[in-house]
């Protein structure tokens, strides 16, 4: 393996100064205007994004990219700083949420009028809750579901192509959890068996959410003139051809290879809106568009270890990855669940490599990237993810990298019989 320079081998590059310990969590965004319109557990902190942009001295006129933009933390921060941005998101509902949050130039009064029309129309309707799937019936009491159904059908009648219509869709989507008696697990999985004591009446929750949206619109409009954000609802593995060498900086956090199923994250909201009828269709409607990061994904796609290892995308790490995949395949035979972690890891590395190649096309020479990333240990087999990403980045044509650990973690695997220490940190890549 060739020697790779790290960022801090270069004495002219300052060491990191970020207060980055909270970079990986969305909790800090919940008091922040607009960011708070939807709680997306997978998101990172807006203030941290701002710190990175400030540290890098990114200015209006430059272009920032987040290839895994999620609910839009990076473009919203960029909008407030007057910086142009591009986000890529493959989950159709997450992308829709992001798009709605970027509609902050709208007139708050028009949003209020649309909401009032929806409420008025809802009050005159007769609910029909018979056709909702089991998940929804188990998550709401009958009276709450009836009110939500009226709001939903009123919105469906009044919906049009206006931004106000989308903002009201987001408001309704965001009140589903607070009005549901079902609990939410870490990472947003819905838990219909774990009931909450306190729920909010849907009409009150809706009115409150509309007031928050209106007040946040005013807040943002007093600080920024217009949005400079473009959202690509698409695949980070294939987006860059129309924008060669145009990006100055990348701030992102990809899915981790830790078996978290992003397709499941918003299954509750999708089921309410009729975008999903259950487990069966979630692969075809969402998961197959995402990078491989869960064993459900690799098994549904019937990925083959040999094909993955033959892919030229994993060439720079083929030997080490092959050993880890072999070990995972062996350990799998001793476990009842027989999870497809070996192909999950192979698929993950292949996909991340494809994304890095796209980033090389999109980024200018000398650009900077910061990835929030964690390693993983399925079945207790350690996978040095940040090291592999760094090596794949160099192979894709970037020049330097450096990893700073932010915190230890070993929560995802706590039910497994192993104690492999894991970490999360910032992988900075340049060149
Ligand atoms: C860790 S989350 C990013 C959250 C984001 N930083 C925020 O603050 O909301 C990773 C995101 O990558 C998205 N994703 C997964 N595969 C993708 C792909 N192939 N192309 C684009 N986005 C993808 C997931 O849907 C998820 O929203």
């Amino acid at each position: 393996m060739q020697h790779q320079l790290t960022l801090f081998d270069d004495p002219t590059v300052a060491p990191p100064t970020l207060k980055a310990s909270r970079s990986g969590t969305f909790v800090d965004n919940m008091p922040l205007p607009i960011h708070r319109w939807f709680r997306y557990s997978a998101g990172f902190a807006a203030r941290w994004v701002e710190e990175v942009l400030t540290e890098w001295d990114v200015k209006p006129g430059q272009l920032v990219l987040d290839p895994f933009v999620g609910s839009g933390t990076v473009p919203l921060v960029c909008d407030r700083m007057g910086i142009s941005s591009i986000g890529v998101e493959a989950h159709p509902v997450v992308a829709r949420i992001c798009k709605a949050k970027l509609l902050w130039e709208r007139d708050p009064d028009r949003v209020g009028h649309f909401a009032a029309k929806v409420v008025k129309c809802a009050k005159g309707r007769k609910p029909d809750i018979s056709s909702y799937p089991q998940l929804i019936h188990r998550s709401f009491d009958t009276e709450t579901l009836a009110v939500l159904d009226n709001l939903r059908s009123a919105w469906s009648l009044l919906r049009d192509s206006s931004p106000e219509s989308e903002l009201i869709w987001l408001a309704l989507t965001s009140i589903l959890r607070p009005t549901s008696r079902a609990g939410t697990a870490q990472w947003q999985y819905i838990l219909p068996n774990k009931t909450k004591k306190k729920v909010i009446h849907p009409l009150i929750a809706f009115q409150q959410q509309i007031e928050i949206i209106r007040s946040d619109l005013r807040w943002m409009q007093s600080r920024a003139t217009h949005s400079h954000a473009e959202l690509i609802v698409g695949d980070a593995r294939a987006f860059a051809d129309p924008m060669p060498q145009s990006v100055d900086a990348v701030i992102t956090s990809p899915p981790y290879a830790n078996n978290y199923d992003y397709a499941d994250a918003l299954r509750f909201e999708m089921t309410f809106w009729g975008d999903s009828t259950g487990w069966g269709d979630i692969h075809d409607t969402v998961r197959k568009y995402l990078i491989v990061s869960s064993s459900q994904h690799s098994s549904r796609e019937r990925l083959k270890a040999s094909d993955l290892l033959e892919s030229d995308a994993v060439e720079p790490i083929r030997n080490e990855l092959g050993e880890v995949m072999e070990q995972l395949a062996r350990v799998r035979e001793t476990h009842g669940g027989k999870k497809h972690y070996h192909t999950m890891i192979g698929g993950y590395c292949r996909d991340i490599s494809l994304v890095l190649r796209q980033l090389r096309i999109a980024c200018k020479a000398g650009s900077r990237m910061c990835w929030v990333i964690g390693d993983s240990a399925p079945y207790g087999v350690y996978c040095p993810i940040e090291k592999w990403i760094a090596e794949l980045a160099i192979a894709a044509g970037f020049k330097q990298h450096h990893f700073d650990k932010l915190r230890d973690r070993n929560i995802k695997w706590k039910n497994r019989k192993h104690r492999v220490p894991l970490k999360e940190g910032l992988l900075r890549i340049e060149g």
Side-chain angles (χ1 to χ4, degrees):
M1 176 109 27
Q2 74 206 41
H3 173 69
Q4 289 153 12
L5 269 180
T6 69
L7 265 184
F8 304 113
D9 286 343
D10 178 352
T12 61
V13 178
T17 56
L18 301 175
K19 287 179 260 118
S21 56
R22 303 286 286 171
S23 60
T25 155
F26 197 80
V27 176
D28 288 350
N29 292 350
M30 288 320 286
L32 298 182
I34 305 185
H35 295 281
R36 62 180 166 177
W37 290 357
F38 189 85
R39 185 180 186 131
Y40 188 44
S41 305
F44 50 34
R47 288 217 169 88
W48 171 77
V49 173
E50 189 173 339
E51 282 179 29
V52 178
L53 292 172
T54 307
E55 186 199 274
W56 286 348
D57 199 22
V58 179
K59 296 232 159 25
Q62 293 188 300
L63 183 60
V64 173
L65 167 70
D66 184 349
F68 299 103
V69 76
S71 61
T73 308
V74 167
L76 277 171
V77 172
C78 286
D79 268 1
R80 205 182 56 67
M81 296 173 78
I83 296 167
S84 302
S85 65
I86 297 179
V88 186
E89 175 56 52
H91 189 312
V93 179
V94 178
R96 190 172 177 185
I97 291 167
C98 175
K99 209 170 186 169
K101 285 162 101 182
L102 293 168
L103 295 171
W104 56 263
E105 286 171 60
R106 301 303 131 186
D107 178 355
D109 290 339
R110 292 180 69 141
V111 175
H113 291 319
F114 202 113
K117 275 198 308 188
V118 168
V119 170
K120 191 169 170 213
C121 173
K123 283 187 172 155
R125 294 190 65 77
K126 223 172 138 218
D128 175 10
I129 61 172
S130 60
S131 54
Y132 284 99
Q134 266 301 94
L135 173 66
I136 298 302
H137 281 285
R138 288 170 63 212
S139 301
F140 293 103
D141 59 51
T142 311
E143 190 207 334
T144 304
L145 185 53
V147 180
L148 285 170
D149 179 65
N150 282 348
L151 286 167
R152 179 191 128 144
S153 58
W155 178 83
S156 301
L157 274 176
L158 296 166
R159 67 179 293 185
D160 54 30
S161 55
S162 69
E164 290 76 22
S165 177
E166 273 312 274
L167 286 164
I168 301 306
W169 170 85
L170 179 56
L172 285 172
T173 304
S174 72
I175 65 166
L176 295 177
R177 304 244 177 184
T179 57
S180 163
R181 65 182 177 205
T184 290
Q186 201 193 12
W187 294 106
Q188 220 140 353
Y189 296 136
I190 193 82
L191 296 174
N193 291 333
K194 196 175 161 197
T195 51
K196 286 185 300 197
K197 287 204 185 84
K198 217 176 135 199
V199 294
I200 311 176
H201 189 282
L203 280 176
I204 294 174
F206 183 63
Q207 301 286 12
Q208 283 175 350
Q209 188 62 16
I210 295 300
E211 280 322 301
I212 286 172
I213 290 178
R214 295 180 69 210
S215 128
D216 291 358
L217 291 176
R218 286 190 210 97
W219 181 92
M220 188 69 166
Q221 287 165 14
S222 67
R223 283 161 179 81
T225 47
H226 62 273
S227 176
H228 303 265
E230 182 193 335
L231 175 66
I232 299 171
V233 185
D235 191 342
R237 292 167 294 186
F239 71 96
D241 282 350
M243 55 175 95
Q245 295 186 28
S246 50
V247 171
D248 296 277
V250 174
I251 301 179
T252 197
S253 180
Y256 297 177
N258 64 359
N259 208 29
Y260 172 58
D261 186 5
Y262 277 89
D264 196 12
L266 301 188
R267 190 163 58 91
F268 174 57
E269 287 79 2
M270 291 177 70
T271 308
F272 174 80
W273 284 109
D275 297 333
S276 160
T277 51
W279 266 109
D281 63 15
I282 208 85
H283 186 78
D284 288 333
T285 48
V286 179
R287 195 185 291 119
K288 73 175 184 195
Y289 300 109
L290 309 180
I291 66 165
V292 175
S293 66
S294 68
S295 61
Q296 297 91 314
H297 194 157
S298 60
S299 71
R300 274 296 294 265
E301 296 278 309
R302 298 180 193 282
L303 296 181
K304 287 205 174 60
S306 52
D307 293 348
L308 292 167
L309 281 169
E310 270 167 32
S311 157
D312 74 321
V314 303
E315 194 276 325
I317 58 168
R318 185 172 287 139
N319 291 345
E320 205 179 346
L321 176 64
E323 280 168 26
V324 168
M325 285 171 66
E326 229 178 272
Q327 207 182 336
L328 280 167
R330 270 200 311 275
V331 178
R332 172 175 187 261
E333 295 308 318
T334 66
H335 284 258
K338 301 233 176 319
K339 293 202 184 285
H340 292 236
Y341 290 138
H342 56 310
T343 48
M344 173 189 90
I345 290 295
Y348 183 81
C349 291
R350 177 202 59 188
D351 288 353
I352 289 286
S353 177
L354 296 176
V355 174
L356 284 160
R357 289 177 176 183
Q358 292 292 298
L359 290 170
R360 184 61 286 177
I361 295 171
C363 288
K364 290 179 182 165
S367 57
R368 291 169 146 184
M369 302 207 278
C370 189
W371 290 45
V372 181
I373 187 69
D375 47 16
S376 73
Y379 282 153
V381 177
Y382 183 66
C383 304
I385 298 292
E386 84 286 348
K387 174 174 167 287
W388 286 344
I389 296 181
E391 290 175 16
L392 292 169
I394 298 300
F398 291 95
K399 301 279 182 294
Q400 303 173 326
H401 62 82
H402 178 82
F403 181 75
D404 281 317
K405 184 174 107 173
L406 295 175
R407 64 183 183 101
D408 295 309
R409 51 183 263 281
N410 188 2
I411 29 178
K412 190 64 200 168
W413 309 101
K414 71 179 172 197
N415 296 328
R416 314 278 168 196
K417 291 189 182 111
H418 73 80
R419 293 272 179 275
V420 180
L422 295 178
K423 60 187 176 308
E424 187 172 51
L426 304 181
L427 177 63
R428 291 148 173 270
I429 300 169
E430 273 200 11

